[in-house]
Amino acid sequence: WMVQSHGQRTRQLIELIDVLPTLVELAQLSLPTNQTYDGVSLVPLLDGSADSTGKNASFSQYAHCNNGKIVMRSRFACTACG
């Protein structure tokens, strides 16, 4: 399965919201068109056809630290609690 991605690493930023579009594309299905999805398929990253730019930033929220927020850009992250 996707032999070209075995053992490969990337510094591309990805987010959990990218999992749904990735699985849908791998299953050769389509997302409903009457809704908006923020995620993007990671298949181009897995099969090696992705461009080198990727996402500029990744945004996360976590329950610890009173709904803390994280913004990541390349090698740097900013975390805010509460």
Side-chain angles (χ1 to χ4, degrees):
W1 182 81
M2 293 198 150
V3 176
Q4 64 274 25
S5 66
H6 288 191
Q8 299 295 315
R9 291 183 180 194
T10 182
R11 293 191 179 270
Q12 295 278 0
L13 293 172
I14 63 169
E15 300 175 86
L16 189 57
I17 60 172
D18 299 329
V19 172
L20 175 64
T22 302
L23 294 176
V24 167
E25 184 174 346
L26 289 171
Q28 298 179 351
L29 300 172
S30 298
L31 290 169
T33 57
N34 63 342
Q35 295 184 20
T36 302
Y37 300 91
D38 292 327
V40 296
S41 174
L42 301 173
V43 170
L45 187 61
L46 294 170
D47 70 12
S49 66
D51 63 15
S52 61
T53 57
K55 293 184 176 189
N56 292 329
S58 172
F59 304 93
S60 300
Q61 183 172 346
Y62 60 102
H64 303 296
C65 196
N66 296 324
N67 288 325
K69 292 160 180 69
I70 302 171
V71 177
M72 294 190 69
R73 289 201 55 156
S74 79
R75 301 178 311 163
F76 305 101
C78 178
T79 305
C81 292

